[in-house]
Amino acid sequence: MELVIGLVMIASAIAIIGYPLIQKDIHNLKVKPAKNIPLGYEQQKEIVMSSLGEIEFDFNMHKLTVDDYQELKALHKEKAVRLLKDHDKVSGVTERDLVRKLEEEIEADLISLEGSDDNEKG
Amino acid sequence: MANIGTIGLSIAFGMGIYSVVAFFLFNSNRGLKYLLSAKNAVYGTALFTTISVLAMLYALITGDFSIEYVTQYTSQDLPAIYKLTALWAGNAGSLLFWAWILVLLAALVTVSKENREYIPYASPIMMVVSVFFLFMLNFVSQPFVQLLSPPPDGMGMNPMLQNPGMVIHPVTLYLGYVGFTVPFAFAMAALIMKNPGDQWIKLTRKWTLISWLFLTLGNLFGAQWAYVELGWGGYWAWDPVENASLMPWLTGSAFLHSVMVQERKNMLKIWNMVLIIVTFGLTLFGTFLVRSGVVASVHAFGNSSLGAYFLIFTSLIILAALYLVADRINLLRQGNQFESYISKESSFLLNNLLLVGSAFSIFWGTVFPIVSEAVVGQKIAVGIPFFNQVNAPIGLAFTLLMGICPLIAWRKANFENIAKNFLWPWIIAIIGMLVMVFIGGITKPYALIAYTICVFVISSTLQDILKGVRVRKKLTGENLIVSLIRLLSKNRRRYGGYVIHMGIVMMIVGITGSNVFNSEAVKTFKPGETAVVGDYTISFKGLQQTSRDNMEVIYADLRVIKNNYDMGNLQVEKVFYSTSEQPMTEPAIISTFKEDFYVLLTGWEDDGSAIFKIHINPQIKWLWTGGWVIVIGVIFALWPGKGSGVGSRYLGRGEVSYGKRVS
């Protein structure tokens, strides 16, 4: 009995690993090697917005000096503007309009993102 | 059953080797069919190892004494639960159990769609480790060896192993040990793929945290088991095998913190790689210690040739891993630099240095007998005082950092903000210290420093939460309750970490109290006599004898009154197992958060008088409870959904991109 079970086990093992090898429709398919690609616009935007939210939160928690706060906020705003500019590519949109648009987005995002660590991107 | 188990292990070994080869063929662009076949081989390895485990469990339960392992670790009168736990009671069985967990994890990792890009590289690494264990099971330590003339009964299980601790301690510990193979495999995969960013960390975060949790619980359950079973009144003796499980816990804790720096700041990539290699290496090193017989330990499996195999395999895999790190060093060097000595990342680095320093001191103390034997030809054991003297201050410094780190910002902090954030926690800690001295009467410096640090950590953590609620309320206009709930739920990783810190603080309280204020007394009672030990009045009613399962029990009935409050009756036992010449001393314990009343029956006289050893162990319950608080913290941090991820990055000046992902 144990011999039969053993033979069945060996046959099953051969079938498990052998089945993909004899399938005709996949035998020549090659897979692209993994490579790095940049994050998408929405992901980048989420990162920069949540970073701005966190800077605001940490400043209010007295974990950032006024100088650092202003420097970091300016830096991230600049990155956000560049991001929006690259994305919109709308002729006639001035940098001033973009900054205003950004300010509005930050205000809106602060409500939902404030102080949160909920962004898993990075 | 023995044949089925043996065939299962042989097939699993063969499939394991095949999976590594097939993954290699796929990675050499030979086609997708090799990937599918390799993945099937991983599942097949798990399946056939499971069949072997089931065969062994069946043999243990049914008492198939034709199998040598079953004869060595069970007997007919052994309770059913211990027949099952006999799976990990011996060398071969525990290797089988380890291999089983490992191949199941490998199958889980391979089947996950989340890990798709990493599977061709991470899975074969896990399978290489699995193949090693399966090699050991097939050729070195075979669990299904059959006896030519089976005995009618087995030799039974070591009485010390017949304890509920045997059910849970090895399982949790092994899950912790084996679990660290996953982040190690992904780290190596990231290096092979030349993608040493933080994606491998994100993918394996839950594995790392769960493995760390199990390692924490494994250590705690082991300590608790020693406390209730070994009968010396303590729970940690810096035994080499205890140290073997503490070392990866320390480096694993360091890794858990330092990966946050990489995720947030794109720093410490080399350090993180080295830490996970060291942690994984230490899990194997622990196995080497337990199975080699090179160090004396009550927890070891005894002398065997397994140690040499483990040492060779561990050395090879660590060397290969370090070679990969060296080869990819330029990629790993890319990233940000520290901007200030006073910042969250600096404090994390300091925390890492303390944890790794502690692990190194324990490693040195543990291997010193081996080194001394090799150098001067004599085994010189390092005593408990060495470990205590080195690790107590490191432990306190590390605890202090738990209170400091959360209050410092990423990137850089200044003294003004630090003073503002630390003022109240320190005031509360100093008030706490004065209360402890003048009201509590605590004058021992070590205890005073430890408790003061604990008060500081608790107050700084609570302050950070309260401040967060206030700021959120100000920024969002929510009410206090809503702010609190949303703050905690949207930042579960951070606040789960705070809960874990509170668990660690509780453990520090327990360790401090039980080590600094413990006392013991030896008392001889005649039946009907009463004696006073500390606040306790103990009445001895007399000795009795009874039979239970596979044991004869001599027990003493004691009535315990504390400060006129009846604490109840205690039954202290001396147990004589049918399969063991040495009796076991089973302590009776009354446990409260203030202290444990721990009593042992050490002997008796012909006139019916009995000798008791009584330990008063303050605050030990805090240690065990702290472990459960850690469980709550980990569950809170890992609960699926938004809030369990790492926070946003503060992008540095020079950083131009927002990160990358692998396609």
Side-chain angles (χ1 to χ4, degrees), chain B residues 36 59 84 125 165 210 215 233 316 323 362 506 521 530 576 598:
Chain B
L36 298 178
L84 282 174
I125 291 165
I210 290 170
L215 207 49
L316 287 177
Y323 169 77
I362 296 168
M506 289 175 78
T530 296
F576 297 81
Y598 181 107

Side-chain angles (χ1 to χ4, degrees), chain B residues 295-474:
Chain B
V295 288
S297 165
V298 291
H299 310 286
F301 285 107
N303 212 337
S304 80
S305 59
L306 292 176
Y309 289 95
F310 271 95
L311 198 59
I312 292 167
F313 177 71
T314 308
S315 306
L316 287 177
I317 204 157
I318 287 180
L319 283 174
L322 291 177
Y323 169 77
L324 258 180
V325 172
D327 192 57
R328 306 289 197 261
I329 200 79
N330 288 332
L331 281 173
L332 290 166
R333 277 193 182 132
Q334 290 168 10
N336 292 326
Q337 301 295 320
F338 284 99
E339 291 173 67
S340 165
Y341 287 113
I342 308 164
S343 62
K344 191 169 291 221
E345 48 268 44
S346 302
S347 63
F348 272 22
L349 184 64
L350 185 57
N351 137 311
N352 265 238
L353 293 175
L354 288 171
L355 287 165
V356 173
S358 174
F360 179 75
S361 75
I362 296 168
F363 179 83
W364 181 242
T366 307
V367 300
F368 193 75
I370 308 169
V371 175
S372 68
E373 190 178 30
V375 176
V376 297
Q378 195 183 350
K379 265 190 183 176
I380 302 169
V382 175
I384 292 173
F386 164 80
F387 292 106
N388 283 340
Q389 280 168 17
V390 174
N391 287 288
I394 292 179
L396 290 181
F398 155 71
T399 311
L400 182 64
L401 277 179
M402 286 198 306
I404 292 173
C405 289
L407 304 190
I408 302 183
W410 292 98
R411 194 169 174 261
K412 64 179 177 180
N414 72 347
F415 282 108
E416 192 190 331
N417 282 352
I418 287 174
K420 208 177 260 179
N421 281 334
F422 285 97
L423 182 66
W424 277 108
W426 273 121
I427 288 174
I428 293 168
I430 289 165
I431 291 170
M433 187 180 74
L434 294 173
V435 168
M436 283 184 267
V437 172
F438 294 108
I439 298 174
I442 296 171
T443 52
K444 293 193 173 181
Y446 238 122
L448 210 51
I449 293 168
Y451 292 145
T452 304
I453 288 173
C454 289
V455 173
F456 168 73
V457 176
I458 294 167
S459 52
S460 70
T461 306
L462 288 178
Q463 179 195 260
D464 198 61
I465 295 171
L466 292 175
K467 226 171 173 177
V469 172
R470 210 182 60 205
V471 170
R472 187 178 171 92
K473 182 174 174 293
K474 182 180 133 191

Side-chain angles (χ1 to χ4, degrees), chain A residues 75-94:
Chain A
L75 188 72
H76 282 74
K77 262 189 174 175
E78 188 190 314
K79 285 175 190 295
V81 168
R82 204 184 314 141
L83 194 64
L84 289 171
K85 245 180 169 176
D86 290 347
H87 180 68
D88 288 355
K89 293 215 187 295
V90 180
S91 57
V93 178
T94 64

Side-chain angles (χ1 to χ4, degrees), chain B residues 624-645:
Chain B
W624 318 134
T625 312
W628 293 113
V629 173
I630 289 173
V631 173
I632 294 168
V634 171
I635 291 171
F636 185 73
L638 281 182
W639 200 260
K642 279 198 162 187
S644 64

